[in-house]
Amino acid sequence: QVRLIESGGGLVQAGASLRLSCTASGDPFENYAIAWFRQAPGKEREFVAAINWHAGETSYADSVKGRFIISRDNTKNSVYLQMNSLKAEDTATYSCAARLFQIATRPHDFGYWGQGTQVTVSS
């Protein structure tokens, strides 16, 4: 099992940047693929980005491609989401999720979830 804790959310203006962190404890972190999802009020949870267990493969939602970068540092048991050129429509609760080895983009493919961190972008 792995426990996930997100941090780094906040309130920023449109065009600004934020870096979210997802820090894990428990099972060997390097075995897990990590994804970021987000959910805005009244909307379904949506995939944002994912990285596989050894960082050799990444995937991004079209809505964030070119603006967000996912990376990981297995020595720190952490995955990061660098969010640039933020837009009001990026406002949501961002959660990280874990599954063994290979990336996936559907929430039900992930068995471990963090509590989430709020990102609010004012226009």
Side-chain angles (χ1 to χ4, degrees), residues 84-120:
N84 302 318
S85 302
L86 283 162
K87 305 175 181 180
E89 51 263 44
D90 294 318
T91 295
T93 298
Y94 285 70
S95 300
C96 61
R99 70 190 300 267
L100 285 172
F101 302 121
Q102 300 304 321
I103 63 174
T105 62
R106 300 173 301 179
H108 68 257
D109 288 326
F110 292 82
Y112 303 100
W113 290 83
Q115 291 300 308
T117 185
Q118 178 67 35
V119 172
T120 303

Side-chain angles (χ1 to χ4, degrees), residues 10 28 36 39 42 70 74 78-79 97 101 110 118:
W36 286 96
Q39 188 167 22
I70 190 169
N74 287 343
S78 294
V79 167
F101 302 121
F110 292 82
Q118 178 67 35

Side-chain angles (χ1 to χ4, degrees), residues 7-101:
S7 62
L11 170 63
V12 297
Q13 291 188 332
S17 297
L18 276 176
R19 189 177 84 152
L20 305 183
S21 298
C22 173
T23 303
S25 60
D27 279 355
F29 179 69
E30 59 268 22
N31 292 338
Y32 287 86
I34 303 293
W36 286 96
F37 291 85
R38 67 187 182 186
Q39 188 167 22
K43 295 187 177 180
E44 292 188 356
R45 180 177 283 169
E46 65 170 344
F47 169 75
V48 176
I51 189 165
N52 75 340
W53 64 285
H54 59 78
E57 182 181 2
T58 58
S59 179
Y60 295 92
D62 288 343
S63 58
V64 306
K65 207 170 287 185
R67 299 189 297 124
F68 290 11
I69 300 171
I70 190 169
S71 62
R72 68 188 296 157
D73 185 344
N74 287 343
T75 67
K76 296 182 179 179
N77 286 358
S78 294
V79 167
Y80 308 100
L81 185 68
Q82 178 67 43
M83 306 187 296
N84 302 318
S85 302
L86 283 162
K87 305 175 181 180
E89 51 263 44
D90 294 318
T91 295
T93 298
Y94 285 70
S95 300
C96 61
R99 70 190 300 267
L100 285 172
F101 302 121

